[in-house]
């Protein structure tokens, strides 16, 4: 079951842990990053298997990309999911670091 795009997910930017995260049904879902020289390196996206297929990873990555854009950071995808997301959303390609 996909979570509708309009459904409220309280994605939190946990700067201390360098990740975007949300807890759903007690499970932690996250998109980890490292800020390096004006870039946001998106390292790992993780959603527990019981929650897969609901669009949660996409929402986490979207939050990370929104943050990068607002902060004037370029994005360096280091995670296969982020690579996939950017292929599916070419409108966000301008954020990719060269």
């Amino acid at each position: 079951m996909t979570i509708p795009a309009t459904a409220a997910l309280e994605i939190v930017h946990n700067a201390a842990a360098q990740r975007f995260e949300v807890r759903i049904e007690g499970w932690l879902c996250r998109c980890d990053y490292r800020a390096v020289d004006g870039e946001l390196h998106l390292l790992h996206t993780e959603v527990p298997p019981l929650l897969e297929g609901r669009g949660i990873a996409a929402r986490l990555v979207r939050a990370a990309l929104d943050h990068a854009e607002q902060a004037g950071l370029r994005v360096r995808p280091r995670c296969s999911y982020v690579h996939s997301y950017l292929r599916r959303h070419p409108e966000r390609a301008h954020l990719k670091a060269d």
Side-chain angles (χ1 to χ4, degrees):
M1 164 212 262
T2 299
I3 296 173
T6 55
L9 275 188
E10 248 186 87
I11 295 175
V12 174
H13 178 198
N14 183 340
Q18 296 187 69
R19 67 185 180 212
F20 291 84
E21 61 186 31
V22 63
R23 286 201 179 271
I24 299 174
E25 299 171 12
W27 296 93
L28 177 66
C29 307
R30 64 186 216 239
C31 178
D32 299 336
Y33 70 85
R34 295 294 174 267
V36 179
D37 299 326
E39 294 180 351
L40 200 63
H41 292 215
L42 298 178
L43 305 173
H44 179 70
T45 306
E46 184 174 331
V47 174
L50 290 172
L51 299 175
E52 288 177 355
R54 298 185 188 189
I56 298 164
R59 300 277 288 273
L60 289 165
V61 171
R62 188 176 326 135
L65 295 175
D66 289 347
H67 169 78
E69 189 159 34
Q70 292 166 3
L73 301 171
R74 305 289 286 185
V75 171
R76 190 164 301 273
R78 302 281 190 206
C79 163
S80 61
Y81 183 83
V82 175
H83 277 286
S84 271
Y85 182 93
L86 289 170
R87 274 195 304 275
R88 289 190 318 270
H89 297 277
E91 70 278 6
R92 304 306 294 265
H94 66 281
L95 294 171
K96 281 183 71 175
D98 295 330

